[in-house]
Amino acid sequence: MSARTPIIIDTDPGIDDAIALAMALFDDRLDVRLITTAAGNVDVAKTTDNALKLLEFWGLDVPVAVGAARPLVREPQYETAVHGVSGMEGYAFPAPDRSQLLPETAVEAMHRQLQASAEPVTIVCLAPMTNLALLLREHPEDQDRIARVVFMGGSTQRGNKGVLSEFNVHADPEAADIVLRSGLPLVMLPLDAGWRALVYPEDSARIRELNETGAMIHGLLSRYRGIGLRNGLKMYDGCAIAYLLEPNLFTMQEAPVVVELDGKYTSGATLVDFRGYLGIDANVSVATDVDASGFTELLLNRIDACRRESGVG
Ligand code: BDR
Ligand code: CA
């Protein structure tokens, strides 16, 4: 058993995804073996470019594989109003070198990593869960190779894409349904956890001063449309990495969670059944609260640890 937790990150950078990657990639407690990209905040070509841009910024050599271009059933939906047209507005990255991409798809790259690993691997989903659903469908034998799935998605309260639906689940509810019914150990960092994991203007100013990564992230934050920097910017995807690093920052509750697929107005809503109305067994460990100041401290500490290959920070 390695001391570091092996993980695969499935992501759609995305400004909060970029911050989550910064938190994960320089932490000795995690071993990021693969990054797979998803159609989500922007199309998959752009999220892939964005993942490559970040890795090139840091000079890191983590394999990247391109994910599905569209959800399992529905038309793609994007979040350009939140993350900008490129998905990562606010910093002028050079064009990435696409020749660095793995030749295989996200599903095949995940499959290969899972089968090659000496120990089960944690899958971290920061995007619509299309790639993971396809993996479970195409390679059911991989289920035993997955330690658990830690995902940012769904809501125990209201939504940010529909009245009751959170973007990642709303964009591909059929994929979320497959994952939620998979029987895998599941950890859910819902939208409402992100509502409490906020970056305020004073935090953002501190981030800018930390190092070059901090300056880059400050640029992204200046273009990230949460509820506005003044009221705090929501670090949704960062919660998933924070949970892996410091689970004690979160209050967790086991609950049955299902996805509404057919609702005329509620498609993509997650029903988190804390009171047992549905009469089904708990399948998810759900974050119900976050130590907000502990999260901020961890976030700053992780950005402070980011280094560029040149060593200038
Ligand atoms: C989720 O949707 C995306 O916009 C964010 O990156 C996050 O993964 C929040 O609903
Ligand atoms: Ca995301």
Side-chain angles (χ1 to χ4, degrees):
M1 272 285 197
S2 90
R4 303 171 75 191
T5 303
I7 67 172
I8 293 171
I9 302 181
D10 190 53
T11 179
D12 60 341
I15 290 173
D16 60 327
D17 299 75
I19 293 165
L21 288 168
M23 292 173 75
L25 285 164
F26 294 88
D27 197 298
D28 289 341
R29 291 166 284 189
L30 301 178
D31 177 9
V32 183
R33 299 208 174 152
L34 172 69
I35 293 173
T36 53
T37 57
N41 288 319
V42 286
D43 68 47
V44 75
K46 287 179 181 163
T47 62
T48 304
D49 274 359
N50 291 342
L52 292 173
K53 285 175 189 173
L54 289 164
L55 292 173
E56 285 177 19
F57 175 88
W58 288 310
L60 292 176
D61 190 17
V62 178
V64 178
V66 183
R70 46 176 300 131
L72 294 185
V73 176
R74 310 193 186 209
E75 291 302 314
Q77 298 182 38
Y78 303 125
E79 279 291 61
T80 46
V82 176
H83 301 268
V85 175
S86 72
M88 245 169 38
E89 294 296 322
Y91 186 85
F93 294 93
D97 178 2
R98 296 190 185 128
S99 69
Q100 296 305 310
L101 283 170
L102 291 176
E104 61 209 324
T105 63
V107 168
E108 292 312 314
M110 280 181 176
H111 170 62
R112 189 166 55 80
Q113 281 288 339
L114 290 169
Q115 290 298 324
S117 176
E119 59 190 304
V121 177
T122 293
I123 299 194
V124 184
C125 292
L126 309 177
M129 293 193 270
T130 319
N131 293 326
L132 178 55
L134 288 169
L135 176 81
L136 296 176
R137 204 160 69 180
E138 290 170 24
H139 293 289
E141 72 276 20
D142 287 351
Q143 181 125 354
D144 290 347
R145 314 294 310 146
I146 298 173
R148 60 182 172 168
V149 177
V150 177
F151 69 96
M152 188 282 128
S155 175
T156 74
Q157 303 178 33
R158 295 263 165 170
N160 65 347
K161 195 63 185 175
V163 177
L164 298 177
S165 53
E166 177 280 331
F167 175 74
N168 287 341
V169 175
H170 185 96
D172 196 345
E174 284 75 19
D177 180 55
I178 288 172
V179 173
L180 285 167
R181 290 190 297 102
S182 66
L184 284 165
L186 302 173
V187 178
M188 170 173 168
L189 287 303
L191 192 66
D192 33 304
W195 291 342
R196 290 187 283 282
L198 300 171
V199 167
Y200 290 97
E202 55 272 26
D203 305 319
S204 185
R206 285 173 66 198
I207 287 171
R208 180 178 51 197
E209 299 310 318
L210 288 174
N211 51 28
E212 285 192 65
T213 298
M216 178 269 283
I217 287 175
H218 181 269
L220 299 180
L221 288 173
S222 70
R223 299 293 293 270
Y224 178 55
R225 292 246 315 272
I227 51 174
L229 184 54
R230 203 162 49 87
N231 298 316
L233 292 172
K234 301 160 205 157
M235 296 296 108
Y236 299 119
D237 293 338
C239 283
I241 304 301
Y243 175 80
L244 285 170
L245 296 175
E246 296 189 12
N248 291 341
L249 292 176
F250 296 85
T251 306
M252 307 302 293
Q253 194 172 334
E254 303 292 313
V257 182
V258 295
V259 183
E260 179 60 81
L261 298 178
D262 302 318
K264 183 174 175 189
Y265 300 112
T266 54
S267 171
T270 40
L271 284 84
V272 182
D273 186 17
F274 289 124
R275 295 191 179 181
Y277 294 120
L278 301 175
I280 55 179
D281 291 339
N283 56 337
V284 183
S285 181
V286 182
T288 56
D289 202 1
V290 188
D291 170 350
S293 58
F295 175 87
T296 307
E297 195 183 320
L298 175 64
L299 173 67
L300 270 92
N301 175 282
R302 290 300 80 217
I303 295 173
D304 195 30
C306 293
R307 293 285 172 266
R308 300 183 77 175
E309 194 182 24
S310 61
V312 287

